[in-house]
Amino acid sequence: MELTGPLAEADWESHRPAVFGAAYRILGTVAEAEDVTQEVWLRAAAADLSEVRDLRAWLVTLAARASYNVLKSARVRRESYVGSWLPEPLLTGPDAAARVLMDESVSTAMLVVMETLTPAERVALVLHDVFDFPFGRIAEVLGGTPAAGRKLASRARARVSAVKVRPRASRAEAERVLKAFKAAADAGDIAGLVELLDPEAVYVADGGGKVTAARRPVRGAERIALLAARQIELRRPDAFQIIEVNGNPALATYRGGELVWLDTVEIADGRITVFRRLANPAKFRHIGHI
C-alpha cells in the first residue's frame, strides 16, 4: 500500500519511528502500537496538511490521542490479566524490522513502572518528557487544562524516577550474566545460580494464563534458583540466543525451533536484582522462531 495525497511517503517514513515510539510507550504493546501507527498513517494521508507547521508534532499528537483512547479501554482487560503483566518486547537490534525512536523510556524496567500509571499520567509523561510537548498541547490531547497536564506529568515523573537512578549494567556484562545463568540452569547448578542472583532478587513471570508460569513474584536467590532449574527439567529447551529487545540484551530460549521464554534482567554489582521471564506466546509472535 502506497501513500497518496498531500503526505509524501518520504515524509511519513522519516516520522514513522516517532509515531510508533509514542504509541508503544503509551500502550506497552507492539500490536496495538502498530494499529495506532496504521490509523495515523491513513488519517494523515487523507488530510490537508497545508496549515500544519510541525508535521512531527502533529503526527505524534494523533498517535497520542488514539493511544489514549485505546489505553482507557484496555485497562479493564489488564486488570483481569492472569498473573503478572510484562510489556510486549520490542526488537531494537540489527534484526529489528523498523527503526524506533530510542531512549531509556522504552526499556522493559521503565515500561513495567509506567503500567502502574493512569492513562492520563502516562500520556502526559511521554508527550512532555520524551517529545518535549508544551503543556498546552498536552491539554488538547487529554481534554484538560495546561495546569492539570503539568500536575499529571509531575506525578508520573515521581513514580518512574526510581527506575532512572538504578545502576545499569553494560551490554557485555548483561550478556555474560544471562549466558552464565542459562548454563547454570541447564546444569542444575543451584549454587551457581544463587551466586549470580542478589540475595533479595525478584523473579517476575508473565504467562498470561496460556502457559505455566509463576503468577506472583518470587523473592530470594535460593527460591529463584530452584525454580529456574525446575523449569529447565520440565520444558527441556534445546537452543538459545542473545537478542536485543527494548535496547537491552535478552535471552531467547527455544524448544523445537519455537520461542518459549524471553528473559531480561536488571543487574547491580554483578548480580541479578530483577529477573523477568516472558512466557506468554501471544506477546512474542512478532519476534519469530529459529
Side-chain angles (χ1 to χ4, degrees):
M1 180 177 181
E2 294 184 355
L3 287 174
T4 59
L7 180 62
E9 183 174 358
D11 289 334
W12 166 252
E13 288 302 325
S14 68
H15 294 301
R16 188 186 187 283
V19 171
F20 177 84
Y24 179 70
R25 286 169 175 82
I26 293 170
L27 295 167
T29 67
V30 173
E32 289 174 330
E34 288 286 7
D35 288 343
V36 166
T37 302
Q38 178 75 358
E39 179 182 337
V40 172
W41 173 4
L42 295 176
R43 289 187 61 185
D48 179 4
L49 305 179
S50 60
E51 300 298 322
V52 175
R53 295 183 179 181
D54 186 337
L55 180 58
R56 179 177 183 270
W58 184 79
L59 291 169
V60 169
T61 299
L62 290 182
R65 285 178 178 148
S67 299
Y68 183 44
N69 291 333
V70 171
L71 188 58
K72 286 189 293 184
S73 64
R75 299 301 288 188
V76 175
R77 297 196 305 272
R78 294 190 186 182
E79 287 172 0
S80 60
Y81 193 80
V82 177
S84 300
W85 183 96
L86 293 175
E88 286 187 10
L90 178 66
L91 276 173
T92 53
D95 296 329
R99 293 184 301 115
V100 179
L101 184 68
M102 283 292 299
D103 65 13
E104 188 182 18
S105 64
V106 296
S107 71
T108 301
M110 182 66 74
L111 290 172
V112 167
V113 176
M114 288 180 68
E115 183 65 14
T116 67
L117 306 179
T118 68
E121 287 172 341
R122 195 159 178 163
V123 171
L125 181 69
V126 169
L127 290 183
H128 185 266
D129 286 24
V130 178
F131 293 93
D132 200 28
F133 272 33
F135 289 110
R137 184 180 287 271
I138 294 173
E140 294 175 7
V141 174
L142 297 176
T145 64
R150 184 186 300 276
K151 184 176 294 185
L152 287 167
S154 177
R155 194 159 57 217
R157 194 177 301 114
R159 296 280 291 278
V160 304
S161 60
V163 176
K164 294 185 177 181
V165 301
R166 291 177 189 170
R168 293 190 65 184
S170 68
R171 183 178 302 276
E173 183 180 21
E175 290 188 10
R176 177 189 65 78
V177 170
L178 282 168
K179 289 177 180 178
F181 191 93
K182 177 66 167 62
D186 283 348
D189 181 3
I190 303 302
L193 288 169
V194 170
E195 184 63 26
L196 290 166
L197 291 157
D198 183 270
E200 303 300 321
V202 178
Y203 170 101
V204 180
D206 178 348
K210 301 180 184 299
V211 297
T212 302
R215 295 194 177 186
R216 294 182 180 179
V218 177
R219 301 180 184 277
E222 291 189 6
R223 293 183 65 197
I224 296 171
L226 290 169
L227 175 62
R230 179 60 176 161
Q231 288 177 331
I232 291 292
E233 292 180 1
L234 293 174
R235 296 300 296 273
R236 299 192 178 278
D238 52 30
F240 79 96
Q241 63 178 337
I242 299 293
I243 62 176
E244 183 184 307
V245 298
N246 299 81
N248 294 292
L251 180 68
T253 301
Y254 303 85
R255 186 172 187 273
E258 293 190 356
L259 182 60
V260 293
W261 299 319
L262 191 66
D263 299 332
T264 57
V265 294
E266 292 182 45
I267 300 169
D269 299 324
R271 289 187 167 187
I272 298 170
T273 56
V274 181
F275 188 102
R276 298 186 178 95
R277 170 160 289 175
L278 181 61
N280 183 348
K283 289 191 175 183
F284 44 60
R285 288 174 182 164
H286 58 286
I287 291 181
H289 307 304
I290 58 172

